[in-house]
Amino acid sequence: MPETQAPAPASAQPFASPGTRLVDLTLLLAEELPCWWSTHMPYQHKTFNYFADRPDQAAPLLCRAGPYQTRWMLIDEHTGTHVDAPAHFVPPADSGLPNAGGQGAVTIDRVPLDQLAGPAAVIDVPDDLPGAAPGISPVITPALLREHEREHGAIAPGTIVLFRTGWDRHYLAGSEGARYCFDALVTRTAPGWPAPEVPIMTELLDRGVRCVGTDAPSIGSSHDGAPVHVAALSRGAVFVEALSGLHQLPARGAYFLFAPLNVARGTGAPGRAMAWVPAAIPAERDRGGRA
């Protein structure tokens, strides 16, 4: 892309029309699934009121408030498919802490919704990235961005860039789900998920990208997740992490939207990720043939 000619802003044209199909890109939340960050509060979902009392030694169901069912949740802000607000890694400007700045005041309730919606550029990440080792994430470099742009054109300002790694294939119930996050982050017995390094994130920010997503548990690596978070969030960008099913999207042509919970003072929030895909564009698979 010539340095003297910046691409035009990505168009936010109408997308929900008879010529599109809506696809869900959100992980299912369940206690048996690895939906929470492995070093944070585990997700819990419990019955508060049931239709009638049902005594049980492990977990009795009680009818406290009438013949209906309702449940409560114990949930970290960064559970399942969620967005990181700048305040997640940027301390307030007056805190005197390292990396403090004005973006430290931007909690999730202050992130404009239009920053979480826009035309999607889906970048395929190959399985054979170098650098993977137990507890260590392989690195996504600027070369992958340039390869994508050579094939699909320059990424315009306002584009939502999504890294399609296929890591959501590890999002499994029970002990098999440890490969998703726990084995790389806590026990360091397995390689981490592919993660972008600071240089590629800087290039995206310089192009006017303000929202980046991944189908891995985090944009940050399993071994050192802070630098890329600080680099982008301090410039007002946001991250949508733990997406699922990005194989349903073409490299270009889909319109992406993430709708977070509107949480006061939130450093992030779970929500629903979705995309509208033109019916005439078939869904792609990544280079490894994953579906």
Side-chain angles (χ1 to χ4, degrees), residues 105-131:
V106 182
T107 49
I108 194 61
D109 50 313
R110 296 184 176 185
V111 174
L113 282 178
D114 61 6
Q115 188 173 352
L116 298 167
V122 184
I123 299 179
D124 277 320
V125 178
D127 286 331
D128 58 354
L129 284 181

Side-chain angles (χ1 to χ4, degrees), residues 257-275:
L257 170 66
F258 182 75
L261 295 175
N262 193 19
V263 181
R265 300 173 297 280
T267 69
R272 202 69 179 244
M274 64 202 81

Side-chain angles (χ1 to χ4, degrees), residues 6 34 36 49 78 89 106 111 159 215 223 274 281 284:
W36 64 92
N49 193 78
H78 304 271
F89 269 81
V106 182
V111 174
T159 299
D215 56 7
H223 59 278
M274 64 202 81
I281 299 179
E284 294 185 353

Side-chain angles (χ1 to χ4, degrees), residues 90-262:
V90 182
D94 60 356
S95 66
L97 295 169
N99 302 313
Q103 293 299 326
V106 182
T107 49
I108 194 61
D109 50 313
R110 296 184 176 185
V111 174
L113 282 178
D114 61 6
Q115 188 173 352
L116 298 167
V122 184
I123 299 179
D124 277 320
V125 178
D127 286 331
D128 58 354
L129 284 181
I136 305 297
S137 287
V139 175
I140 301 172
T141 69
L144 199 60
L145 170 61
R146 298 184 190 118
E147 180 181 335
H148 173 90
E149 290 190 311
R150 280 195 298 270
E151 185 174 353
H152 302 289
I155 290 176
T159 299
I160 310 292
V161 172
L162 306 174
F163 290 110
R164 178 165 51 197
T165 74
W167 198 259
D168 52 331
R169 67 188 183 276
H170 298 302
Y171 192 74
L172 302 169
S175 59
E176 290 183 306
R179 183 71 178 86
Y180 182 71
C181 184
F182 189 84
D183 287 349
L185 186 69
V186 179
T187 64
R188 300 193 177 276
T189 55
W193 50 88
E197 62 178 3
V198 171
I200 186 174
M201 194 60 63
T202 299
E203 288 202 20
L204 290 172
L205 295 170
D206 290 345
R207 283 161 166 74
V209 172
R210 301 171 64 229
C211 179
V212 180
T214 180
D215 56 7
S218 175
I219 281 284
S221 67
S222 59
H223 59 278
D224 190 14
V228 74
H229 277 89
V230 172
L233 300 183
S234 64
R235 291 179 60 178
V238 296
F239 293 144
V240 180
E241 298 172 322
L243 290 161
S244 180
L246 291 182
H247 65 274
Q248 300 173 90
L249 306 186
R252 298 287 179 90
Y255 192 96
F256 176 86
L257 170 66
F258 182 75
L261 295 175
N262 193 19

